[in-house]
Amino acid sequence: KQEVTQIPAALSVPEGENLVLNCSFTDSAIYNLQWFRQDPGKGLTSLLLIQSSQREQTSGRLNASLDKSSGRSTLYIAASQPGDSATYLCAVSRWNTGFQKLVFGTGTRLLVSP
Amino acid sequence: DGGITQSPKYLFRKEGQNVTLSCEQNLNHDAMYWYRQDPGQGLRLIYYSQIVNDFQKGDIAEGYSVSREKKESFPLTVTSAQKNPTAFYLCASSIHPGAGDTEAFFGQGTRLTVV
C-alpha cells in the first residue's frame, strides 16, 4: 500500500528565506507526482507536476525535484513571501487498472512572516 | 474561464437526510473524482469516473453515491447511511491517461456539516 509522508508538518520562516518541503513515498512505481497549494477553506491549486521520467520541474520561484529510486521529492521555494503562506500537499499517482489514483500526504503548513 | 465549479460552498445536513453536492467542469476532461478531507488526514478517494455512465468505488465509498450522465457533471450524494459526513469535499478532474498530461485539477470544495 502506497503511503506518502510530508515533513515537517508545520514550518514558520521570516520573509525572504529560501525553504525546502519534503515528501516521501513508499512505493516507487508511480506515474507522476504533483505538488498542490491549499489556502484555508479553499480547494487545491496545482503548482507543479513531475512525470515519472523527469527529475525536476520549475515554475517561477518554485522548483520540485523527484528521486523515484529513493522515494523522495522536494519542493524548493526561493525568496519566500507572506503570500506563500498556505498548506502544501504532495500526491503520487499510480496507474491502477485503467485509472489514475492519487495518494496524498497530510501536508506541510507554511507560515511566512513579514 | 475553464475550471471546476463546486456548489454549494457550505451545506448543512440534518440527521437522516440525503444531500447532493454538485461538481461541474468545462475542461473537457474524461476523468472525474470525489475526495473527502478531514483535519489531520490526507485526502481520501470516495468515487471516480473515467467516462460517461461509468464510475467506480474508491477507498471510502460506503454511504455515498454518484452518477455520471454527462461528461461535464459528477454529482455526489451523501446518504443517511454515511454516519460521519461532516467534512470538506473536493471534486477533481483530469484528462484520461493515455492522452498525455495527467495533471489533476480541483474545485474550491464544499464544506458539509451535520446539524
Side-chain angles (χ1 to χ4, degrees):
Chain A
K1 178 184 175 184
Q2 177 73 272
E3 294 183 359
V4 180
T5 303
Q6 292 187 246
I7 294 174
L11 182 63
S12 183
V13 300
E15 181 177 7
E17 199 164 286
N18 300 327
L19 57 99
V20 174
L21 307 182
N22 297 293
C23 173
S24 62
F25 46 94
T26 54
D27 186 344
S28 62
I30 64 170
Y31 200 67
N32 59 47
L33 184 145
Q34 201 167 348
W35 281 95
F36 295 90
R37 170 189 172 132
Q38 185 176 31
D39 293 289
K42 303 292 187 181
L44 275 62
T45 299
S46 178
L47 297 174
L48 290 164
L49 170 73
I50 310 178
Q51 301 288 357
S52 61
S53 59
Q54 297 175 322
R55 298 282 294 184
E56 65 177 317
Q57 282 285 340
T58 298
S59 177
R61 294 183 293 109
L62 305 180
N63 177 276
S65 67
L66 173 64
D67 184 342
K68 271 184 55 178
S69 61
S70 66
R72 293 181 181 179
S73 176
T74 61
L75 179 66
Y76 175 82
I77 302 177
S80 59
Q81 303 171 358
D84 294 331
S85 298
T87 296
Y88 290 81
L89 298 164
C90 73
V92 297
S93 171
R94 291 200 60 170
W95 185 239
N96 182 12
T97 59
F99 95 105
Q100 175 187 233
K101 179 177 180 178
L102 289 175
V103 180
F104 284 83
T106 54
T108 293
R109 190 170 66 252
L110 174 65
L111 176 63
V112 181
S113 304
Chain B
D1 284 330
I4 300 175
T5 301
Q6 290 188 240
S7 62
K9 187 174 181 179
Y10 299 98
L11 187 57
F12 298 91
R13 192 194 94 166
K14 295 181 180 179
E15 294 284 349
Q17 192 178 45
N18 292 354
V19 291
T20 297
L21 285 61
S22 171
C23 178
E24 303 277 333
Q25 55 99 0
N26 61 4
L27 301 167
N28 200 33
H29 285 173
D30 291 300
M32 296 188 74
Y33 314 81
W34 274 105
Y35 289 87
R36 170 179 172 143
Q37 186 176 35
D38 295 281
Q41 298 191 43
L43 276 70
R44 293 180 290 169
L45 181 65
I46 304 172
Y47 267 98
Y48 65 95
S49 169
Q50 300 175 73
I51 57 173
V52 174
N53 293 323
D54 181 71
F55 48 83
Q56 304 295 329
K57 293 181 179 180
D59 300 320
I60 55 166
E62 185 175 353
Y64 300 97
S65 66
V66 294
S67 63
R68 187 87 187 276
E69 298 177 359
K70 299 186 295 182
K71 185 176 184 178
E72 58 270 23
S73 179
F74 191 41
L76 173 73
T77 296
V78 184
T79 75
S80 56
Q82 170 50 239
K83 298 308 179 187
N84 185 23
T86 295
F88 192 51
Y89 291 86
L90 289 157
C91 178
S93 71
S94 66
I95 293 174
H96 193 279
D101 190 346
T102 58
E103 186 174 8
F105 296 88
F106 281 76
Q108 288 299 299
T110 292
R111 184 164 299 281
L112 174 62
T113 304
V114 174
V115 296

